[in-house]
Amino acid sequence: MREKLKRSFFILTSMSIFILVLLFIGEEYDEPKKIEEKTHYLPKVSYISSSEDAQASSIFSYGVLKPKWDITLKSQVNGAITYINPLFESGSLVTSNTVLMHIEDKPYKSQKSKAEVAFAEAKLGLIQAKKKTENTNRYWELSGINSPPSDLALFKPQLDIAEKALEAARQDILVADSNLSYTHVKAPFKGTIIERKVGLGQQVVEGEPLLRLIDHQNFYLPVFLSEMQWKNLSNQWLNSKAKLYLNEGEVIADATIISGGYHLDSETRQYPLFMEVNSAQNDGLISGQFIKVRIAGKIFDNYLSLPESALTQDGAIWFIDHQDTLRFYEPKDIHYQDKHVLVPAPDKTDYLGQKIWRVATVPLSFFLAGQRVEPIEVLMEK
C-alpha cells in the first residue's frame, strides 16, 4: 500500500513538473509576439498646414551691372598736351570736373581777344547806325515834308545790319570762350578711367580720342527672361520696382524697370528688361558685379504657398488627407516667391471639399500613396 502511494505521488509530481515546463516554454514563445506587437508603429511625417489663397509670385533672374555712361572722351581743339594730372591713369577714380590735362591754349586766347575786339567794333557800329537814323529822322521832320520817309532814307537796313553784326560778334566771343575752356580737359562725371590714350607733349587734333571713362555713380542692369517668365510678369511691370541681391544675401538696392521686353535678344533668344538702379543706394556697387534680381510676378488665385523642400525632384508634393493617409499630387503649374513655391490647390471634388492642406515638408523615399502615417505639424518659416 505504501509503495502504491509513493508511486502515485511520484507520478503526480512528474506530471506537475511537466505541466510547469510546458507553461514556461509557452510563455517564452509568446514573449516575442508581445514585443513585436509593441514595436509595430506608424511612420511619423512632418507637415505644414496651408490654405488656398491669392498668392503673389516672383520672377528671379541674373544680370551684370553696367555703368549708365561709358564714353570715349575726345579732344575738341588742336594743340600739344602741356600738362597731365597724376590721376590721369588707367583704373583711377576721378570726380566730376576734375582737370585731367591741359592743351596748349595760346591760339585760343588770341581767338578770344580778336572776338572781343570785333565785338567792340560792332557795338560802335551799331551806336553810329542808330545815331545816323535818329539824325535823319529829325531832319526829315524839320524839312516840313508831309510824306513819311522811306526805310532806305532813314538808313534802317544799315541799322539792321549793325544789330546783326553785334549779335554775331557776341556769339564769336562765346565760341572763343568754349574753345578756350576745351583746352582744360575735365571729367564730365564721377567715374573710373578705363584707358588713357595720350601722353604729355603729344600733339592732338580735334576729334582725337583722349581717354575712356565709365560712370561710377549711375548704373543700369539688363536681365533676360524666358518665355514662361515673360508671361508670368506682372501686367504693370513698366516703371515697377525690382529688388537686387548680391548672391543669396540681403537686398542691396532697388531698381526701376525702364524699358525692354518687346523683342527677343538676338543672342539669348530671351526677353530683355532694362533697369535703372536707385542712385541713392549705389554705395558699394561697382560695374561688372553679378546681381540676382527679384521682379514682381502675377497674382494667382487658389494657390498654396509651400517651402521649397516640400517639392520633389519631379515637381510633385505629398499631402496627408483627413484619414491620415498619404496622397500624391503633381501640380500643373509652379511659381516661386522668395524661398517658397506656389502651386495650385488640388481639386476639392477629389478630396471631399478639403480647404486646409497638410503637406509633407520633406518627401521621403518610403512614401507610398494610401500609406497610413502619424502626422506631426510644424510651423512654416516666413
Side-chain angles (χ1 to χ4, degrees):
M1 184 68 178
R2 183 178 294 176
E3 290 182 1
K4 191 175 182 179
L5 289 172
K6 286 182 178 180
R7 188 180 300 165
S8 299
F9 178 75
F10 177 76
I11 292 171
L12 289 173
T13 303
S14 299
M15 291 180 65
S16 298
I17 293 172
F18 180 72
I19 291 171
L20 289 173
V21 170
L22 289 177
L23 290 173
F24 178 77
I25 293 173
E27 288 180 359
E28 288 291 323
Y29 278 100
D30 288 341
E31 190 65 26
K33 293 182 180 179
K34 292 179 181 178
I35 294 174
E36 185 178 349
E37 288 176 0
K38 290 180 181 178
T39 56
H40 181 69
Y41 63 91
L42 296 176
K44 296 180 180 180
V45 175
S46 298
Y47 73 90
I48 56 101
S49 296
S50 180
S51 57
E52 52 193 87
D53 200 353
Q55 305 287 352
S57 64
S58 292
I59 296 170
F60 292 92
S61 187
Y62 293 87
V64 176
L65 204 61
K66 295 183 179 294
K68 184 175 183 179
W69 307 117
D70 183 346
I71 65 169
T72 297
L73 203 59
K74 297 181 179 181
S75 175
Q76 299 189 61
V77 292
N78 304 321
I81 297 174
T82 58
Y83 167 77
I84 291 284
N85 189 321
L87 291 176
F88 186 31
E89 295 291 345
S90 297
S92 294
L93 178 65
V94 294
T95 57
S96 178
N97 290 322
T98 298
V99 176
L100 302 176
M101 69 183 78
H102 292 171
I103 298 174
E104 187 178 6
D105 60 2
K106 290 180 181 178
Y108 301 100
K109 286 182 177 179
S110 174
Q111 180 188 19
K112 182 177 179 180
S113 297
K114 291 178 181 178
E116 289 173 343
V117 170
F119 178 77
E121 292 176 346
K123 191 173 183 180
L124 177 60
L126 179 60
I127 293 173
Q128 292 174 339
K130 284 183 177 179
K131 192 68 175 176
K132 195 171 186 179
T133 299
E134 290 173 358
N135 290 337
T136 303
N137 192 45
R138 188 180 302 111
Y139 293 151
W140 190 273
E141 291 176 354
L142 293 174
S143 68
I145 301 174
N146 294 327
S147 60
S150 65
D151 290 346
L152 191 60
L154 293 177
F155 301 100
K156 285 189 176 181
Q158 290 86 339
L159 178 62
D160 185 55
I161 291 173
E163 289 175 344
K164 291 180 178 178
L166 181 64
E167 180 60 28
R170 182 181 290 110
Q171 295 301 323
D172 286 343
I173 290 179
L174 295 178
V175 171
D177 277 335
S178 293
N179 288 338
L180 186 59
S181 69
Y182 293 150
T183 62
H184 288 191
V185 179
K186 299 179 181 180
F189 49 79
K190 182 180 180 180
T192 303
I193 298 173
I194 299 301
E195 183 182 4
R196 189 187 72 180
K197 298 178 180 291
V198 293
L200 185 64
Q202 183 173 338
Q203 188 78 23
V204 296
V205 296
E206 184 178 349
E208 183 172 347
L210 303 175
L211 67 139
R212 181 185 168 204
L213 184 71
I214 63 171
D215 199 347
H216 190 72
Q217 284 186 309
N218 304 287
F219 301 95
Y220 80 97
L221 183 68
V223 297
F224 299 91
L225 306 183
S226 66
E227 184 175 359
M228 180 176 292
Q229 287 176 319
W230 172 250
K231 289 180 179 178
N232 290 331
L233 194 63
S234 170
N235 294 330
Q236 290 77 37
W237 60 268
L238 189 61
N239 296 321
S240 66
K241 298 293 184 181
K243 299 292 184 182
L244 307 186
Y245 303 79
L246 272 180
N247 300 320
E248 298 296 332
E250 297 181 357
V251 175
I252 56 172
D254 293 331
T256 303
I257 303 175
I258 56 175
S259 64
Y262 297 111
H263 72 283
L264 291 178
D265 182 76
S266 59
E267 294 183 2
T268 64
R269 309 307 301 169
Q270 293 185 321
Y271 295 86
L273 288 182
F274 298 94
M275 307 179 185
E276 190 172 58
V277 180
N278 186 342
S279 58
Q281 299 175 308
N282 63 7
D283 288 344
L285 296 181
I286 57 174
S287 176
Q289 282 180 312
F290 193 62
I291 302 294
K292 181 180 179 180
V293 185
R294 190 186 77 186
I295 308 168
K298 290 181 177 178
I299 296 177
F300 298 97
D301 293 325
N302 301 321
Y303 269 59
L304 304 178
S305 177
L306 307 173
E308 289 183 346
S309 62
L311 208 62
T312 68
Q313 292 182 348
D314 298 328
I317 62 172
W318 288 88
F319 67 91
I320 305 168
D321 65 13
H322 63 286
Q323 295 179 336
D324 292 345
T325 58
L326 288 173
R327 299 287 184 177
F328 182 75
Y329 170 56
E330 291 183 283
K332 296 180 180 179
D333 200 16
I334 299 175
H335 303 279
Y336 293 87
Q337 170 69 309
D338 294 332
K339 296 181 180 179
H340 297 80
V341 292
L342 307 179
V343 299
D347 190 347
K348 295 180 183 179
T349 58
D350 295 337
Y351 302 102
L352 303 177
Q354 192 165 330
K355 294 182 179 180
I356 303 297
W357 302 90
R358 299 185 296 174
V359 181
T361 55
V362 180
L364 300 175
S365 58
F366 67 80
F367 282 6
L368 294 173
Q371 179 183 13
R372 291 206 63 192
V373 295
E374 181 182 345
I376 300 176
E377 185 173 13
V378 296
L379 297 178
M380 182 169 64
E381 294 182 1
K382 298 294 185 182

